[in-house]
Amino acid sequence: MPLASQTLVCSKCGAAIPVEDWNREHAFCATCRSPHSAYVFPALLSKIDQASTAAAIVAEGEASCYYHPRKRAAVPCDQCGRFLCSLCQVEFLGQNWCPGCIDAHRQKGQLSNLDASRPLYDNMALVLATLPAFLVWPTIFTAPMSLYVSARHWRTPSSLLPRTKVRFYAAVLFAVLQIVAWIWLAAYAIRYAIPHA
Amino acid sequence: MTPAPEYRRLPGRSGLLIRHSLWMKPDHLLRVRANPFSQQYRRYYFADIQALVLTELPGSAAYYWYAAAVSLSLISALLVNSRHPVLGVLDGIVAVLAFSLGWRVPNCSCYLRTSVATDRLPSIRHLRAARHAVAMVTSEIEKVQGALSRETLDAYQAAGGSGATPTNALLPISHYGGQLHWMLFGSMLFHAAVSAVIGIMGTYSTPLSIVAGASSAATLLFAVLSAFKQHRSDLARGVRWVVVSTLVLYALDVIASFAVSIYASLQLAASKKPPDAQAILNHPAFKAFRVFDVTWFLVLGCIGLVLMTLHRRSTPTPPPLVISENPGIGADGT
């Protein structure tokens, strides 16, 4: 059963968009007169298959679902081969998966298609290498931190979107420059400033 | 093994620190919400998308920013002309900023519907990019689901599908008598009168200036409150437009007042005259501004009062509330 009624609403005033205006260019909201376009696809009119929630009870001699022994098996999992009823079958990446395989692959980080978020370590390293430089003294801590983050996460999968490693390169460059500057300053102080003092 | 196809970027982007964007693969759409240190994803498989709704928004806030940008550019030109190039350049930068803020005001809104959720697509904010993005997504969805013909929709409607008549989901419109509007238009006329008196007197008077400032502030307050109060009310459209025009003209008036004051002060300073209040009042530019000020307050105040009177005549007065003498349920529930 669909969870929401098949009603589309104007996003400005919330009034319903009549069926006559679906898939029609240059329609106007009957309430607020805002021009709108409602693009409707066959999925809106099709009912969700209710058989999947009521799989048949297994008869004697028939294969049953691995997770529901009383349900009739419909397909095998393409990863582990376990028999699955239509309730447990998940179509994903063009294959049939069981929930256990999806969970296992996800925990191993092998299913990037299921990631809901990704940290951007290259941005973190770059921020650590650049922003504290305005205050100068924090760089004594943040430059090594930036180097550590860059080294630790150089091969960690970054964004799902196309992204280069240029931020990591920039972070390493800035961090190394800052560390060299601190070393030079320390050497200068030891050689000249402290003996004079 | 062939590598997985990379995401393709769809037109449209929003936000500065928190950025939204839309990406696409052959089988799904990816909505990305990114802050500087992480990205959050939401996938919509083309087989699951039921509808996309694109609504044009008025985008009237953009015109405020454009008006501010034009006024600031004018001030900038005046400053440069008065041999204050540094201030002029700074002012020009602010004008460019105002223009860019106006450019960023959204003029459309788009949401996507699946069988389990209806989500807004925040990256689609401008109509040109929106039409391009929607066309790309629609073609991909139709590759997966096929197209929905007009005949199918007509048959669906004839079969009684979707009770989406235009009236069954209307938002309630409340009745509002317009008390704040009466006060607004009254205060506008009062302010016009006080300003006219100051202009006719031609001499600086502290009490009158205080009264003029107070009436101007009251007008702004009433205008803002009226704008909020008239939202989704049954007030006449003309009255609502007068309130909106008042707010726009008020903003322009403040900017123009600032510009004229600076211009007059700089001119007086250049001519070695002490720039006191009286001298500024007698400056021709300031006199012209005062005429403009009095005129628009007077005209809009009069139009507002006339429209309010017409609106009150056309709106039937509800019968007085009759209090029943039957005792109701008391506080003790008896």
Side-chain angles (χ1 to χ4, degrees):
Chain A
M1 189 179 72
L3 296 181
S5 65
Q6 284 135 328
T7 306
L8 300 177
V9 294
C10 168
S11 49
K12 188 180 171 206
C13 68
I17 300 173
V19 182
E20 305 91 83
D21 288 348
W22 291 3
N23 285 357
R24 201 184 287 279
E25 290 287 338
H26 309 302
F28 291 89
C29 174
T31 308
C32 66
R33 306 303 299 158
S34 296
H36 60 62
S37 308
Y39 303 92
V40 178
F41 306 103
L44 184 71
L45 307 186
S46 62
K47 302 284 182 199
I48 292 176
D49 184 15
Q50 296 188 20
S52 62
T53 57
I57 303 295
V58 65
E60 195 161 338
E62 286 182 326
S64 65
C65 172
Y66 176 82
Y67 295 99
H68 302 98
R70 287 175 56 79
K71 305 277 185 187
R72 183 182 295 143
V75 289
C77 172
D78 288 329
Q79 301 298 314
C80 64
R82 286 170 181 156
F83 287 175
L84 307 171
C85 63
S86 51
L87 186 65
C88 299
Q89 170 204 2
V90 179
E91 280 187 28
F92 180 58
L93 299 175
Q95 292 183 322
N96 292 312
W97 291 63
C98 69
C101 284
I102 289 181
D103 195 36
H105 279 72
R106 191 178 177 182
Q107 284 184 359
K108 288 178 190 170
Q110 293 171 344
L111 283 181
S112 65
N113 288 41
L114 291 181
D115 284 347
S117 68
R118 285 269 179 95
L120 302 175
Y121 293 111
D122 50 355
N123 272 7
M124 290 180 203
L126 189 60
V127 166
L128 277 172
T130 51
L131 283 190
F134 289 105
L135 294 174
V136 181
W137 66 266
T139 56
I140 200 165
F141 306 108
T142 55
M145 283 164 67
S146 173
L147 274 186
Y148 170 76
V149 171
S150 301
R152 172 76 178 75
H153 296 288
W154 190 269
R155 290 186 185 279
T156 305
S158 182
S159 167
L160 286 180
L161 312 175
R163 195 174 179 92
T164 63
K165 287 197 182 295
V166 67
R167 294 172 184 81
F168 270 138
Y169 287 119
V172 169
L173 179 69
F174 284 129
V176 167
L177 283 177
Q178 287 163 18
I179 289 169
V180 167
W182 277 113
I183 292 170
W184 178 83
L185 191 69
Y188 180 85
I190 291 166
R191 188 166 179 185
Y192 295 107
I194 295 172
H196 287 297
Chain B
M1 185 179 167
T2 55
E6 283 202 333
Y7 280 103
R8 265 197 306 151
R9 175 86 186 266
L10 290 176
R13 171 185 277 194
S14 71
L16 287 174
L17 205 60
I18 305 290
R19 286 173 292 132
H20 297 270
S21 56
L22 271 182
W23 299 73
M24 193 168 73
K25 263 192 177 181
D27 63 340
H28 70 271
L29 187 69
L30 184 76
R31 193 184 75 181
V32 181
R33 179 184 184 275
N35 65 42
F37 303 121
S38 70
Q39 290 178 334
Q40 285 89 45
Y41 310 113
R42 174 123 196 196
R43 294 168 186 79
Y44 303 97
Y45 285 85
F46 292 137
D48 300 331
I49 296 175
Q50 293 185 334
L52 283 167
V53 177
L54 185 67
T55 305
E56 289 183 36
L57 301 175
S60 49
Y63 298 112
Y64 292 94
W65 287 112
Y66 292 146
V70 169
S71 309
L72 287 165
S73 308
L74 192 67
I75 294 170
S76 175
L78 289 173
L79 284 167
V80 172
N81 190 41
S82 311
R83 295 175 188 172
H84 290 80
V86 178
L87 286 175
V89 168
L90 287 176
D91 193 65
I93 291 170
V94 178
V96 171
L97 191 67
F99 185 82
S100 68
L101 285 171
W103 186 256
R104 293 178 66 85
V105 171
N107 61 7
C108 77
S109 147
C110 182
Y111 72 83
L112 178 150
R113 183 190 149 121
T114 63
S115 61
V116 294
T118 299
D119 290 334
R120 204 166 73 81
L121 303 177
S123 65
I124 296 185
R125 294 155 49 94
H126 288 98
L127 212 53
R128 186 178 295 179
R131 292 211 183 283
H132 193 193
V134 166
M136 289 170 75
V137 174
T138 303
S139 72
E140 292 297 324
I141 294 172
E142 286 180 350
K143 277 182 198 167
V144 175
Q145 295 188 26
L148 202 57
S149 65
R150 172 53 47 191
E151 291 75 29
T152 313
L153 282 176
D154 290 342
Y156 172 72
Q157 189 182 11
S162 177
T165 54
T167 52
N168 68 348
L170 296 185
L171 291 175
I173 290 178
S174 58
H175 172 71
Y176 176 57
Q179 291 83 353
L180 273 170
H181 291 70
W182 286 109
M183 288 194 275
L184 166 66
F185 300 133
S187 73
M188 285 172 76
L189 289 184
F190 179 74
H191 179 74
V194 174
S195 296
V197 168
I198 293 174
I200 291 166
M201 279 171 57
T203 52
Y204 181 75
S205 159
T206 306
L208 271 180
S209 297
I210 291 172
V211 171
S215 62
S216 174
T219 301
L220 178 62
L221 181 69
F222 289 141
V224 171
L225 292 176
S226 304
F228 277 110
K229 198 74 183 171
Q230 70 188 10
H231 189 57
R232 297 201 195 291
S233 74
D234 60 348
L235 265 180
R237 184 182 286 256
V239 177
R240 287 188 269 172
W241 272 110
V242 173
V243 173
V244 173
S245 308
T246 303
L247 282 170
V248 173
L249 276 171
Y250 200 99
L252 288 176
D253 191 77
V254 169
I255 294 167
S257 155
F258 184 65
V260 168
S261 303
I262 289 178
Y263 180 67
S265 304
L266 292 176
Q267 273 215 337
L268 289 171
S271 61
K272 312 282 185 195
K273 288 181 186 171
D276 62 339
Q278 185 61 52
I280 292 174
L281 274 178
N282 289 333
H283 193 278
F286 206 86
K287 283 183 177 173
F289 165 73
R290 189 170 293 284
V291 170
F292 162 73
D293 190 48
V294 171
T295 307
W296 82 259
F297 266 90
L298 189 68
V299 170
L300 279 187
C302 289
I303 291 174
L305 285 179
V306 169
L307 289 177
M308 281 301 290
T309 310
L310 293 174
H311 174 68
R312 193 167 68 171
R313 279 185 191 164
S314 64
T315 310
T317 310
L321 188 66
V322 178
I323 299 171
S324 169
E325 293 192 354
N326 293 332
I329 298 173
D332 56 351
T334 55

